[in-house]
Amino acid sequence: MLTEQPNTLYCAQADRYTQMQYQRCGNSGILLPKLSLGLWQNFGETDPLSNARTLLHTAFDLGINHFDLANNYGPSYGAAESTFGKIFKRDLQPYRDEMLVSSKAGYDMWAGPYGIGGSRKYLVSSCDQSLKRTGLDYFDIFYHHKPDPDTPLEESMQALDFIVRSGRALYVGISNYQAEQTQKAVEILRELGTPLLIHQPRYNMFDRWIEDGLTDVLKEQAVGAVVFSPLAQGLLTDKYLQGIPENSRAARSEIVHLSEQHITAEKITKVKALNELAQARGQNLAQMAVAWTLNNPAVTSCLIGASKKEQIRSAVDALKNLNFTQQELAMIKEISA
């Protein structure tokens, strides 16, 4: 056990690995923390670097050693990777071998026909750009961010295989793939000799699409899953019970995935009922929402976002109560339907 801290501006908490639970990712040698930190929001050019630094430090100090990026996270595109790169160079570089860092490509990133999709040209070029922005020598996981109907799946999977064999990444993943597409991707990658490590789908109490076939594929093929948006972009918290607070995600014009129109009276009625159930469990609603995703046996890790360090600490506290009774699960299903 290492007893001396590296000479750096940031020294990680010595007990960081005693505070987190870890779970095997599919049929691999990788253990993922049950909570991973996503840099989708709050790490762009419009956000203070000092707060981003605090968020990464807090997460790592609590044993969250998996950080998830994508080429277009920002705003602007690439900004989250650049922010991570600055903090990594200043504080986290001595801990590189303790961390699992992932990035993705698939959505639009730059102008022209090669800046989007699933071609070998786009995926390899994007991976190279992301490595430069983060300052990393390799990614632990590199994902195809979404299936591309205009590119043969074989080409996209061959690109991921090449990214591993060329030393750009250690493992590969896919995101936002349906069940049948996932099954095909598994088979192609297995033949290539680079097995699919992980899938990253959206999953929360308001969006349970992965239960309609995808989780069966993941369990049958021994593929891990790290699920994103467990709080439905903040709806599954107590934040909006009394309206839309200033500076909340729904109030920020640059946040395109949650706005005032999403916060309907019907949704708030459901959120209030779920909030009462959470309180009866001794949790706040955000904690129950995180715990609920981890109750699915196909889920390896829950990908959280945060704008304040207290939100990360609260999410870690959710791990203290991950068990649900059958009655609680039935109530959640009925309320959120």
Side-chain angles (χ1 to χ4, degrees), residues 54-55 58 306-317:
T54 296
L55 296 176
T58 300
S307 59
K308 302 175 182 177
K309 63 180 181 180
E310 292 79 13
Q311 294 169 336
I312 299 175
R313 295 186 182 280
S314 179
V316 173
D317 284 341

Side-chain angles (χ1 to χ4, degrees), residues 89-321:
K89 181 178 180 180
R90 177 177 175 177
D91 301 333
L92 298 173
Q93 197 161 5
Y95 304 98
R96 175 63 182 102
D97 292 337
E98 296 184 32
M99 298 188 300
L100 193 150
V101 184
S102 58
S103 195
K104 302 180 284 292
Y107 289 96
D108 61 298
M109 184 59 190
W110 63 83
Y114 313 128
I116 186 173
S119 70
R120 183 184 180 113
K121 167 72 171 175
Y122 169 62
L123 292 176
V124 175
S125 297
S126 185
C127 184
D128 287 342
Q129 291 182 18
S130 293
L131 287 171
K132 289 179 181 178
R133 282 189 291 268
T134 57
L136 299 177
D137 296 324
Y138 65 92
F139 288 115
D140 295 279
I141 305 172
F142 193 78
Y143 291 86
H144 187 207
H145 207 163
K146 70 180 183 71
D148 178 10
D150 298 321
T151 300
L153 184 59
E154 289 81 2
E155 179 176 346
S156 299
M157 296 304 101
Q158 286 167 359
L160 293 182
D161 174 67
F162 172 76
I163 285 170
V164 168
R165 293 183 185 279
S166 62
R168 292 170 168 86
L170 301 182
Y171 301 92
V172 298
I174 55 175
S175 182
N176 299 305
Y177 274 55
Q178 298 292 321
E180 184 178 351
Q181 296 167 323
T182 300
Q183 178 68 38
K184 291 180 179 178
V186 168
E187 294 170 357
I188 294 169
L189 285 168
R190 184 176 292 144
E191 289 183 7
L192 291 170
T194 300
L196 180 65
L197 175 74
I198 196 166
H199 190 302
Q200 187 176 135
R202 176 185 170 98
Y203 185 52
N204 58 61
M205 289 187 283
F206 286 153
D207 189 353
R208 304 175 63 155
W209 73 271
I210 70 171
E211 297 173 5
D212 296 328
L214 178 60
T215 51
D216 292 334
V217 172
L218 297 179
K219 288 185 289 185
E220 290 168 3
Q221 300 299 329
V223 174
V226 52
V227 296
F228 69 89
S229 198
L231 307 185
Q233 293 296 300
L235 270 176
L236 288 168
T237 69
D238 56 13
K239 184 182 296 183
Y240 299 106
L241 293 179
Q242 307 301 326
I244 300 177
E246 185 179 357
N247 294 325
S248 66
R249 185 170 289 190
R252 294 173 59 182
S253 59
E254 74 273 17
I255 304 296
V256 298
H257 297 280
L258 183 69
S259 62
E260 294 184 24
Q261 67 184 19
H262 295 108
I263 305 176
T264 64
E266 180 185 5
K267 274 285 174 64
I268 293 302
T269 297
K270 294 180 178 181
V271 170
K272 287 181 177 179
L274 291 169
N275 188 55
E276 291 178 2
L277 178 57
Q279 291 178 339
R281 285 173 46 84
Q283 294 178 312
N284 60 44
L285 178 53
Q287 290 172 330
M288 185 178 79
V290 167
W292 180 86
T293 66
L294 292 169
N295 186 257
N296 188 319
V299 174
T300 314
S301 180
C302 177
L303 192 62
I304 62 170
S307 59
K308 302 175 182 177
K309 63 180 181 180
E310 292 79 13
Q311 294 169 336
I312 299 175
R313 295 186 182 280
S314 179
V316 173
D317 284 341
L319 301 180
K320 297 175 182 177
N321 186 9

